[in-house]
Every structure is written in structure tokens, then in C-alpha cells.
Amino acid sequence: EIVLTQSPGTLSLTPGDSAALSCRASQSITNKSLRWYQQKFGQAPRLLIYGTSIRATGVPDRVSGSGSGTDFTLIINRLAPEDSAVYYCQHFGSSLTFGGGTKVEIK
Amino acid sequence: QVQLVQSGAEVRKPGASVKVSCKASGFSLSSYYMHWVRQAPGQGLEWMGWINPNSGDTNYVQKFQGRVSITRDTSINKVYMELTRLKFDDTAVYYCARDPGPGYDFFVVWGPGTLVTVSS
């Protein structure tokens, strides 16, 4: 089973900053199989990105995904207070797995 | 409006069972795989398995094999997740989620979650 490791654990940033969130797979995966979700406190997750770089419906273009092989990145530009959340990467191969999450704090 | 509505919070003793329901509205369950994902307090997301509501076929994470059962009633557009022999560390919010369509294995619609507390 492929393990997804996200870093950093927490990002503390100010409004207007950019955030770069990393998701590293324990072995090479296809771009098609990497997704990102946002989970705000007390809410269900929300799909942001699928296929490594395709934005889901309603996701602003200041959110972008990239990567290949074992290293994937979620970039959020022009951070706003409403971007405060935990972000998870997800993969499906032999099973469906999530990374441990990166908490983004906007102060 | 496409949405998933889940049953309310549950409290169970260790060793008991719990059955959580998830009602779909705005779409037919028969057209989409339905998944269950859980999240222990302060922890990350853990996928449990899926059901093909059309055929009734299921796929469970090995960790839950023998304890979890995902079923459906397409006549009322509902899916269910039953977890047996509950343990303290089964305390979690349980989410149902829908994929975008056949061949996709990610989640575009989520239920609000159901808190299951296992306590003596």
C-alpha cells in the first residue's frame, strides 16, 4: 500500500501570502490518481484538485496543483482567512489512502 | 440539489454494533459508487470501503474486513454502513461520500458526517 506523507504539519501565514503544501508518495504514482481536499473546522472535506492539477468545480484559480512521480504540491496564492483549513492529499491504487494532512493557519 | 443526509449521532458500548444511514437526494444512487470515510477526533481521514449500489458489490479495507458491512436500499435512495464489535478507537465521525461516476475513485459530494461514540 502506498503511503502519502504530507509536509509541513502546520503552516502559519498571513493574508496575501502564498502556501506550498507537499505530498510525497512512498512509490511512484500516476498523475491521474492524486487529489487534494480542503477540510474546514467542523465540516466535511471538499474536493479541490483531482488528476494532480485539475481544479474541481468552483475552486478559484489561485489554487493550483502540480507534481509527478512521488512528489506533488498544492499551491494557494493570495491567502485569505477563509483558506484556514486542513488540506489532505489522496491516492487510489490497490487501496484508497489519504495523507496525514497539513494545517494552514492564516493570522 | 445534490446532497447526502446522514443519520444522527450514536453512542454505543464496546462490543455493540452501529448502523449509520446516508440518504441521497438530487441524484439516483444507482448511478454512483458510494463510499464511507471516517475521522477519529483530531485525526486524519480513513477510507473504509465502497458499494456499487447498482449491483450491491462491495469493497472493504482489509483492516475492517469482517466487521463492516455497507448495504443499500435503492428504492429509498439510501446506503448504510454497519460496524460491529465496536472498540473505543472506533469513536469517529463517519462520512458517506459519492464519486463523480464509474471509474473514478475520489469524492465530489460528502455527507455532513455522523459522530459515533464508543463509551462504556
Side-chain angles (χ1 to χ4, degrees):
Chain A
E1 179 181 291
I2 290 175
V3 175
L4 300 177
T5 301
Q6 291 188 241
S7 62
T10 302
L11 269 176
S12 295
L13 298 165
T14 56
D17 284 350
S18 293
L21 285 62
S22 171
C23 176
R24 181 161 291 174
S26 57
Q27 55 187 282
S28 184
I29 61 175
T30 65
N31 281 18
K32 179 182 175 182
S33 65
L34 197 283
R35 301 77 191 243
W36 291 92
Y37 297 85
Q38 175 195 60
Q39 186 178 31
K40 296 183 179 181
F41 183 77
Q43 297 184 17
R46 168 199 178 199
L47 179 70
L48 292 179
I49 298 281
Y50 62 96
T52 293
S53 61
I54 304 170
R55 279 185 291 275
T57 303
V59 176
D61 61 7
R62 59 189 183 85
V63 177
S64 62
S66 64
S68 64
T70 60
D71 291 314
F72 299 85
T73 303
L74 179 72
I75 300 283
I76 309 172
N77 291 317
R78 303 185 299 283
L79 282 164
E82 60 263 28
D83 296 322
S84 292
V86 180
Y87 294 81
Y88 295 96
C89 55
Q90 177 241 314
H91 161 74
F92 185 85
S94 57
S95 185
L96 193 153
T97 56
F98 291 93
T102 291
K103 183 177 183 179
V104 174
E105 299 175 332
I106 315 296
K107 296 181 177 179
Chain B
Q1 182 185 2
V2 171
Q3 63 177 346
L4 298 170
V5 178
Q6 297 185 225
S7 49
E10 304 272 13
V11 180
R12 294 286 187 274
K13 294 188 183 305
S17 299
V18 69
K19 192 171 186 177
V20 180
S21 71
C22 170
K23 182 170 175 59
S25 62
F27 68 96
S28 172
L29 270 183
S30 297
S31 301
Y32 302 93
Y33 280 43
M34 294 296 296
H35 303 251
W36 288 87
V37 176
R38 77 176 187 178
Q39 186 171 37
Q43 303 300 309
L45 302 167
E46 181 175 32
W47 179 68
M48 301 178 70
W50 55 249
I51 185 168
N52 176 341
N54 196 38
S55 66
D57 290 342
T58 54
N59 178 28
Y60 304 130
V61 172
Q62 189 168 6
K63 170 180 178 177
F64 300 107
Q65 290 275 3
R67 286 210 302 139
V68 70
S69 177
I70 301 175
T71 56
R72 92 293 192 204
D73 185 340
T74 52
S75 69
I76 56 173
N77 233 22
K78 268 188 173 181
V79 292
Y80 304 89
M81 187 284 300
E82 183 173 25
L83 193 60
T84 62
R85 303 193 304 277
L86 287 168
K87 300 175 277 188
F88 290 117
D89 62 5
D90 289 320
T91 294
V93 175
Y94 289 78
Y95 295 100
C96 59
R98 196 204 86 180
D99 67 24
Y104 292 96
D105 44 47
F106 56 92
F107 314 121
V108 294
V109 183
W110 292 74
T114 295
L115 175 62
V116 174
T117 302
V118 182
S119 173
S120 55

